[in-house]
Amino acid sequence: MKYKRFYRTTIVQINYICSVQISNTMATINFLYRSTKDKANLHLRLLYRFNDIDFVFSRIVRINAADEYGNCTCYTCDCIPKHWSLMQCGHFISRKEMATRWDFRNVRVQDKSCNEGKHGNLEVFRQRLEEEYPGLPDQLREISQQPYSYGISELKQLLTDLRAKLRIAEARFNPKSSTN
């Protein structure tokens, strides 16, 4: 009899210990899942912000380079003038360098063949930047070597500022009709 009682007590204790360990393990798994999920959500939020800022920034650069008819020429090849919506925003320093990604000194309007086909046509891009602003290509290279990381609040503020600049730039092509 005594043996059975000891056996039952031991089984109950083992069951309790196992259930506590399992619940702790499940809590740990849930925590890891939630933290991974939060990190994934943060990454997606940053990605969406980057895409929004890229879209607005590109429109500003292309609209500002356009003439009164909305046409602009490629910075590197002087092609036939095309409408600004058919052009692209070409970066001298790659967009992966966050310190110069949204720097207006780093970007110019390019056509698709130069920006994508010739990978930015960087030799001509550098020469023209050097002629326009002596020393700028080297300065941009130095700036791009410094690591930089944007926070969510900083990206929100940048997007707000760029949207305000975009409204001003678009006003050239969309004048409000006067009411008489």
Side-chain angles (χ1 to χ4, degrees):
M1 276 285 199
K2 212 173 196 186
Y3 178 73
K4 285 186 177 180
R5 189 181 298 163
F6 175 75
Y7 176 73
R8 286 183 184 158
T9 306
T10 306
I11 297 283
V12 169
Q13 287 175 348
I14 290 172
N15 284 342
Y16 175 73
I17 290 170
C18 288
S19 67
V20 167
Q21 287 177 348
I22 288 172
S23 65
N24 287 344
T25 304
M26 291 304 292
T28 304
I29 290 170
N30 284 339
F31 172 75
L32 290 174
Y33 173 74
R34 273 184 278 137
S35 64
T36 305
K37 190 176 173 184
D38 291 344
K39 287 178 185 174
N41 285 341
L42 176 65
H43 182 70
L44 279 176
R45 287 192 347 230
L46 283 172
L47 186 63
Y48 290 147
R49 291 264 187 248
F50 282 13
N51 289 341
D52 289 346
I53 294 171
D54 284 340
F55 176 77
V56 173
F57 184 75
S58 174
R59 286 180 66 96
I60 292 170
V61 169
R62 292 178 291 142
I63 288 174
N64 285 338
D67 60 11
E68 64 272 7
Y69 303 108
N71 297 321
C72 50
T73 58
C74 178
Y75 186 71
T76 54
C77 73
D78 293 326
C79 64
I80 312 168
K82 297 177 188 169
H83 193 263
W84 67 265
S85 63
L86 300 174
M87 302 298 273
Q88 295 181 356
C89 180
H91 289 73
F92 176 63
I93 305 293
S94 174
R95 289 188 328 161
K96 71 179 181 180
E97 305 298 338
M98 295 306 294
T100 56
R101 183 173 184 151
W102 298 301
D103 188 344
F104 285 103
R105 299 173 301 167
N106 184 44
V107 294
R108 298 292 185 273
V109 175
Q110 288 186 311
D111 63 350
K112 186 174 182 170
S113 67
C114 284
N115 197 26
E116 292 178 13
K118 298 177 184 174
H119 303 288
N121 204 357
L122 294 178
E123 298 82 24
V124 177
F125 205 132
R126 181 182 181 80
Q127 290 171 355
R128 296 215 172 158
L129 273 180
E130 188 66 42
E131 290 170 7
E132 192 176 350
Y133 300 105
L136 182 61
D138 297 326
Q139 184 182 9
L140 289 172
R141 287 243 184 257
E142 286 178 23
I143 293 170
S144 70
Q145 298 302 318
Q146 300 168 359
Y148 192 81
S149 179
Y150 286 96
I152 292 283
S153 60
E154 195 174 3
L155 290 173
K156 283 181 183 179
Q157 186 61 45
L158 180 62
L159 183 59
T160 303
D161 295 344
L162 288 176
R163 282 182 177 158
K165 289 180 182 178
L166 180 61
R167 274 189 236 107
I168 293 168
E170 285 178 335
R172 284 183 24 201
F173 297 110
N174 301 327
K176 295 180 181 178
S177 60
S178 60
T179 56
N180 291 342

